[in-house]
Amino acid sequence: MEIQWYPGHMAKARRIMQESLKAVDLIIEIVDARIAYSSRNPDFNDLFAGKARVMVLNKADLADRTATRQWLEHFKGQGLSAVAFDSAHPKEKQQVSAIIERSAKEKVDRMAKRGARKVVRAMVAGIPNVGKSTFINAFAGSAAARTGNRPGVTRGKQIIRITPFLELLDTPGVLWPKLDDAQGALHLALTGAVKDEIMDTYRLSRELIAILAQRYPRALPERYKLAGLGETPDHTLMDIAGKRGFLLKGGDVDIERAAVTVLDEFRSAKLGQITLEVPGDIEERQDDPFMEL
Ligand code: G4P
């Protein structure tokens, strides 16, 4: 797979984030619940060493609930706080802010011993498209007025007060995903985290159908009213095109259109709540920087 890689951009983004780190007590690392492994940046462990961290499994509305529970256990087993969230339709904001506050408890308690009531300041971080801005907006929408610039915070950056003891930096830290892991790159492309140009839609869709055949064999037959899955992904696409009446001039089935439909309907969860990777799979993946946390 041919993938563009920009080490210069990466180094710059890392530097900018390092600057902001000085102003925060806590990191809220956002991942896509459907690909909670592939949507992490392996650099974060280094970069955030020594900071309290909360994992937010975002887009939980699109993910398989059982798999999300497994991921929450997995992260907790690594000593990280973790919570599932749907930033697009936020309902449990209080619960999330309580978990975030609790994760900085050590620092708060230390300050309390010195007689100070500490306001915890958090930075949201993650790879592009996991929902960092949506997450921040979910809280900013209900937050008391945004405060102005503060000492120690780069000019132009804003702080959002979420609870009396919790503030959020409104500029998220962004680092690119790790794309040299072929399986991870595929999962990122399937969820739309990286652009479709990396792999064409037709190929992506066939890969998706192969994954679904393994993990969710009923998803496609139920959605498209098929008797079952085809012998190959191409056969399944042909059946879907037939059912949907996707025809080319001349009467052949339009397999490309079926491929686009399957991919779109996966991304919008019309095929059901589907998770592409669970903790058990990643243990098999080579070179796993997260297993050492
Ligand atoms: P980023 O800052 O990390 O780059 O991500 P951003 O918030 O821009 O979110 C990326 C896409 O994911 C957006 O969709 C956003 O609406 C969607 N999104 C974020 N959080 C959630 C969530 O918890 N659940 C669901 N279902 N979607 C979420 P988009 O396609 O760019 O725009 P649109 O679909 O909102 O028009």
Side-chain angles (χ1 to χ4, degrees):
M1 200 184 311
E2 197 58 39
I3 280 160
Q4 302 285 328
W5 189 240
Y6 304 106
H9 289 188
M10 179 76 113
K12 189 172 174 213
R14 205 176 189 281
R15 239 181 0 255
I16 291 170
M17 210 183 303
Q18 230 150 8
E19 275 303 303
S20 307
L21 276 178
K22 294 178 197 149
V24 301
D25 309 297
L26 179 117
I27 304 295
I28 301 172
E29 184 181 340
I30 311 253
V31 297
D32 182 328
R34 297 167 297 172
I35 49 167
Y37 174 75
S38 303
S39 59
R40 295 188 73 189
N41 183 298
D43 253 7
F44 281 173
N45 284 344
D46 257 4
L47 201 56
F48 302 149
K51 293 269 177 201
R53 197 165 1 155
V54 183
M55 302 296 304
V56 173
L57 280 86
N58 195 39
K59 308 199 185 187
D61 54 314
L62 306 177
D64 177 336
R65 281 170 208 208
T66 306
T68 300
R69 271 198 300 277
Q70 290 172 358
W71 278 115
L72 290 174
E73 287 307 311
H74 172 82
F75 289 128
K76 284 174 190 165
Q78 293 185 326
L80 294 169
S81 303
V83 63
F85 195 57
D86 168 6
S87 297
H89 322 88
K91 283 183 212 108
E92 284 140 0
K93 282 191 277 189
Q94 272 178 345
Q95 189 200 342
V96 174
S97 37
I99 288 171
I100 296 171
E101 274 188 6
R102 267 206 307 278
S103 340
K105 192 173 175 317
E106 229 175 81
K107 188 150 193 174
V108 172
D109 288 351
R110 232 177 15 242
M111 297 293 282
K113 272 194 197 130
R114 286 192 235 146
R117 190 91 216 240
K118 168 82 183 149
V119 176
V120 173
R121 190 179 288 169
M123 179 171 80
V124 170
I127 65 164
N129 267 312
V130 287
K132 296 176 297 301
S133 315
T134 313
F135 178 89
I136 293 170
N137 287 337
F139 285 96
S142 63
R146 284 161 176 253
T147 61
N149 290 329
R150 293 284 180 83
V153 178
T154 313
R155 216 140 69 95
K157 284 196 178 142
Q158 300 280 307
I159 300 273
I160 304 157
R161 177 69 64 102
I162 293 177
T163 73
F165 302 106
L166 179 62
E167 294 179 340
L168 209 61
L169 212 62
D170 84 343
T171 316
V174 187
L175 275 192
W176 310 135
K178 180 176 178 240
L179 287 177
D180 50 3
D181 157 14
Q183 183 89 33
L186 170 66
H187 290 180
L188 287 159
L190 286 172
T191 54
V194 292
K195 290 266 181 290
D196 286 354
E197 289 94 74
I198 282 188
M199 231 196 253
D200 67 76
T201 306
Y202 173 49
R203 193 171 148 207
L204 268 183
S205 193
R206 280 162 51 211
E207 297 276 4
L208 175 63
I209 292 170
I211 294 172
L212 294 178
Q214 293 285 323
R215 291 192 182 284
Y216 301 93
R218 297 298 311 147
L220 293 173
E222 272 166 20
R223 173 74 186 163
Y224 301 110
K225 303 193 173 37
L226 313 173
L229 289 170
E231 215 169 289
T232 66
D234 272 341
H235 285 102
T236 304
L237 283 174
M238 276 190 263
D239 292 345
I240 292 170
K243 282 279 179 188
R244 285 280 166 111
F246 296 159
L247 298 176
L248 294 165
K249 272 189 208 140
D252 283 344
V253 286
D254 188 346
I255 193 167
E256 297 262 353
R257 189 163 165 211
V260 172
T261 303
V262 167
L263 198 56
D264 281 352
E265 298 201 342
F266 159 69
R267 287 176 179 166
S268 56
K270 290 200 178 94
L271 303 181
Q273 292 176 305
I274 287 170
T275 293
L276 297 179
E277 50 197 46
V278 291
D281 310 329
I282 59 150
E283 277 150 26
E284 289 164 16
R285 285 211 212 155
Q286 297 287 311
D287 183 29
D288 182 351
F290 301 123
M291 298 314 292
E292 291 161 15
L293 255 180

